[in-house]
Amino acid sequence: MYEYDVGVADDCSSLLELAICREPISYNGSGKARPMRTLKKGSPPFLPDGIGISVEGTSFFRTLLVVASSKETAMSDTILYEIKDRVAYITLNRPEVLNAQSLELRARLKEVLADFDSDPEPLVGIMTGAGDRAFSTGADLKERADLNSIGDRSSPPAYEPPTVKPLIAAIQGYCVAAGLELAMRCDIRIATPDSQFGLPEPRRSLLAGYGLHNLNRIIPLGEALHMQLTGDFISAERAYQIGLIQRLVPRDQLMAEAQKVADSVLLCAPLAVQAIKDIVMTGRNMPVEQAWEYADPIARRITLTEDALEGPKAFAENRPPHWKSR
């Protein structure tokens, strides 16, 4: 993680300025962080999820989108990440605020998902929320209100493409707004009967992002519009009926069921699984003929892998296959 030297100015200047003593860092907003080392006397302390800056005429602290380069950082506790037996476990870890997604959490999650895709060890991931009340209630609106109060009306995070490897969402409690959008980015969703789902953004004069464009690709259009236009929540039972979630299990069986699904994914050849996800997720935006053309070279590559030889051979020899991902 970048290191910072912060000194206190002798005078009470109207500007708050912070030195970035190693490398410059970008942040979500206007203006630039300049290579200086003074901070207004008596200003609040350096925050773990951001640094203090100012704009001419307005002194304030604003949260920066700081992406740490190491898992062992002050940011890491917003997302818990563990790999065990080829499964990655990703936990949104802000239970005290129902796992609301701060800028810090979103930055860390982006980093973790990139690690998940690039690391050859995990082949499937399980994402869940800490605590027993929520998967995630969406963006941290208190943080957004603070940013609005200092003139930061920056746009929501840009679209993030799906992961290459399959993700399973294990949901209990509230799964709404950006929390539902995050669950929708997962490929398989498992929930407890007490879970609730919704896109309440219009009740705060906001627009959903991923959910606005993709909910009607997962559930029928009328069901999607009902959720989007009213902001109403739906029950887990209703979500199961319309296909938003694929399993409905008691709370004490949630992680066991997610693990069971992950184990089923692990029985399959990793390259074939990743190719299937690529073909389905990309091809759904294409006419059938174009999707077929997109899939054909991918399918040909899979048939030329060692694993494509191993599968039929293991079947003929009545034994489990040993996948090599090549």
Side-chain angles (χ1 to χ4, degrees):
M1 185 175 181
Y2 295 121
E3 298 178 12
Y4 308 98
D5 285 337
V6 179
V8 178
D10 292 332
D11 63 311
C12 290
S13 167
S14 63
L15 293 181
L16 302 175
E17 298 185 45
L18 181 79
I20 298 176
C21 62
R22 294 295 182 268
E23 298 180 50
I25 190 166
S26 61
Y27 65 93
N28 189 20
S30 59
K32 296 181 179 179
R34 291 177 285 179
M36 301 182 68
R37 287 200 242 180
T38 59
L39 188 66
K40 180 179 176 181
K41 187 175 181 179
S43 295
F46 172 31
L47 301 175
D49 63 342
I51 60 176
I53 68 163
S54 78
V55 173
E56 187 70 42
T58 307
S59 297
F60 59 89
F61 260 66
R62 94 185 277 157
T63 302
L64 299 189
L65 192 57
V66 182
V67 180
S69 60
S70 167
K71 293 182 177 63
E72 302 300 323
T73 70
M75 289 183 62
S76 64
D77 63 354
T78 61
I79 296 289
L80 303 181
Y81 185 49
E82 179 186 11
I83 300 171
K84 183 179 180 182
D85 298 330
R86 312 308 297 269
V87 180
Y89 299 89
I90 304 164
T91 304
L92 313 181
N93 190 39
R94 299 185 75 211
E96 69 282 359
V97 289
L98 303 182
N99 299 313
Q101 299 171 34
S102 63
L103 294 179
E104 176 187 323
L105 183 147
R106 288 179 170 183
R108 177 66 178 139
L109 180 60
K110 183 176 181 179
E111 181 186 62
V112 163
L113 291 178
D115 287 348
F116 166 63
D117 264 346
S118 62
D119 186 346
E121 183 180 354
L123 299 177
V124 59
I126 298 174
M127 184 181 296
T128 193
D132 59 3
R133 298 176 60 196
F135 176 79
S136 173
T137 51
D140 189 332
L141 293 186
K142 289 185 178 179
E143 179 183 71
R144 170 45 49 197
D146 289 342
L147 293 175
N148 287 346
S149 70
I150 57 175
D152 184 339
R153 304 292 293 274
S154 52
S155 301
Y159 167 75
E160 295 288 345
T163 56
V164 174
K165 300 173 184 176
L167 275 176
I168 301 161
I171 302 162
Q172 61 181 8
Y174 293 106
C175 180
V176 300
L180 176 55
E181 292 178 326
L182 188 55
M184 288 168 55
R185 288 181 60 193
C186 298
D187 306 294
I188 299 169
R189 289 165 291 279
I190 304 167
T192 59
D194 62 328
S195 298
Q196 296 186 61
F197 302 84
L199 292 173
E201 283 87 347
R203 297 192 180 191
R204 297 290 179 266
S205 192
L206 300 171
L207 296 182
Y210 188 87
L212 199 61
H213 304 288
N214 287 275
L215 186 60
N216 69 331
R217 298 168 186 253
I218 297 175
I219 64 176
L221 177 60
E223 298 288 350
L225 284 172
H226 180 268
M227 293 176 67
Q228 292 165 337
L229 296 177
T230 67
D232 285 347
F233 291 179
I234 63 171
S235 67
E237 179 63 32
R238 184 59 180 158
Y240 179 67
Q241 291 171 353
I242 62 179
L244 183 56
I245 58 176
Q246 285 66 60
R247 296 282 192 279
L248 194 57
V249 299
R251 180 180 286 261
D252 61 357
Q253 297 177 25
L254 177 62
M255 293 307 294
E257 183 66 21
Q259 183 66 56
K260 181 180 177 181
V261 174
D263 289 342
S264 293
V265 173
L266 291 175
L267 293 175
C268 304
L271 294 181
V273 167
Q274 292 169 29
I276 290 167
K277 180 170 178 176
D278 179 16
I279 290 169
V280 171
M281 298 303 288
T282 304
R284 68 177 183 165
N285 298 314
M286 302 175 177
V288 174
E289 296 79 4
Q290 187 177 348
W292 186 274
E293 292 177 1
Y294 178 82
D296 186 60
I298 299 174
R300 291 177 184 275
R301 287 197 298 271
I302 296 299
T303 61
L304 296 177
T305 62
E306 291 183 30
D307 285 351
L309 298 175
E310 170 63 9
K313 183 179 179 182
F315 177 82
E317 296 174 356
N318 195 28
R319 62 172 175 79
H322 302 294
W323 307 124
K324 299 180 179 178
S325 293
R326 63 175 187 257

